[in-house]
Amino acid sequence: MNNSVLIALTLTASIVLSPVSIAGTAQGSTHAIKMSSFNLSSQKWQNRVLLVFAPSADNQSYQQQMQLLQQKSGFQDRDLVLVQVLATNKSYANGQLIDQSSAAKLRDHFRVDKENFRVILVGKDGGVKRSDTTPVRATTIFEQIDAMPMRQQEMQERGRK
């Protein structure tokens, strides 16, 4: 396994934000691998979702995006779930393996072909807030979230506590 894949996997494993629903194990192998099902609608009004679609972990845009997202301290504060949807590798939600069915549903829902790179930010209301075909800095995403009315309200409420 090359270093860039290890870095991406380490980064993914270190981003533990909010839980995703567990839905069983992989079938058809002698080893049962715990996988979770990821349902975007279950995140609505609970979390914002940052989806990173890529053909593989070796994809240059994907590797660059993972480096740009190393500023993980802002994820939890903004209720932001990172979902990595990789066509030829395993897919993850907050570092937890998700089943291929969930990954395929996300690709279909957002109409992202397996060979394309895309970054999509979904708000707590379930709406797409941004869609990029090139890597995006974490600060850019955070600034956009922080400008949202719901986030402004969250910051005011958290400031009172």
Side-chain angles (χ1 to χ4, degrees), residues 33-52:
I33 300 170
K34 286 209 170 214
M35 288 192 188
S36 54
S37 133
F38 183 83
N39 184 341
L40 193 59
S41 62
S42 70
Q43 300 298 310
K44 195 170 183 178
W45 304 117
Q46 303 298 314
N47 295 300
R48 295 171 182 91
V49 180
L50 184 64
L51 297 141
V52 179

Side-chain angles (χ1 to χ4, degrees), residues 37-147:
S37 133
F38 183 83
N39 184 341
L40 193 59
S41 62
S42 70
Q43 300 298 310
K44 195 170 183 178
W45 304 117
Q46 303 298 314
N47 295 300
R48 295 171 182 91
V49 180
L50 184 64
L51 297 141
V52 179
F53 293 93
S56 72
D58 294 329
N59 178 271
Q60 185 177 1
S61 294
Y62 173 77
Q63 290 179 5
Q64 184 181 357
Q65 184 63 64
M66 291 301 100
Q67 288 177 341
L68 292 171
L69 294 178
Q70 288 182 4
Q71 184 183 351
K72 55 189 171 276
S73 62
F75 276 72
Q76 190 169 12
D77 188 43
R78 290 170 180 84
D79 302 326
L80 187 60
V81 174
L82 175 63
V83 180
Q84 298 150 277
V85 184
L86 304 173
T88 60
N89 301 84
K90 296 173 176 139
S91 297
Y92 299 88
N94 281 342
Q96 186 173 0
L97 192 62
I98 61 172
D99 59 39
Q100 287 301 315
S101 171
S102 295
K105 285 177 186 172
L106 289 168
R107 281 194 177 283
D108 289 345
H109 180 79
F110 293 102
R111 295 186 175 102
V112 179
D113 293 330
K114 288 184 175 186
E115 57 274 351
N116 291 336
F117 173 83
R118 182 92 37 89
V119 179
I120 297 174
L121 174 63
V122 178
K124 285 188 173 184
D125 64 358
V128 173
K129 304 305 177 188
R130 79 177 295 135
S131 178
D132 297 277
T133 56
T134 57
V136 186
R137 293 185 180 281
T139 53
T140 302
I141 294 166
F142 293 167
E143 286 169 2
Q144 183 171 356
I145 291 171
D146 290 348

Side-chain angles (χ1 to χ4, degrees), residues 1-22:
M1 189 175 292
N2 67 31
N3 285 343
S4 56
V5 173
L6 285 173
I7 291 168
L9 290 174
T10 302
L11 174 63
T12 301
S14 68
I15 299 175
V16 178
L17 305 172
S18 60
V20 247
S21 58
I22 302 296

Side-chain angles (χ1 to χ4, degrees), residues 153-161:
Q153 183 179 353
E154 291 168 1
M155 290 189 292
Q156 285 179 345
E157 289 172 1
R158 290 175 185 170
R160 285 187 223 140
K161 292 180 181 178

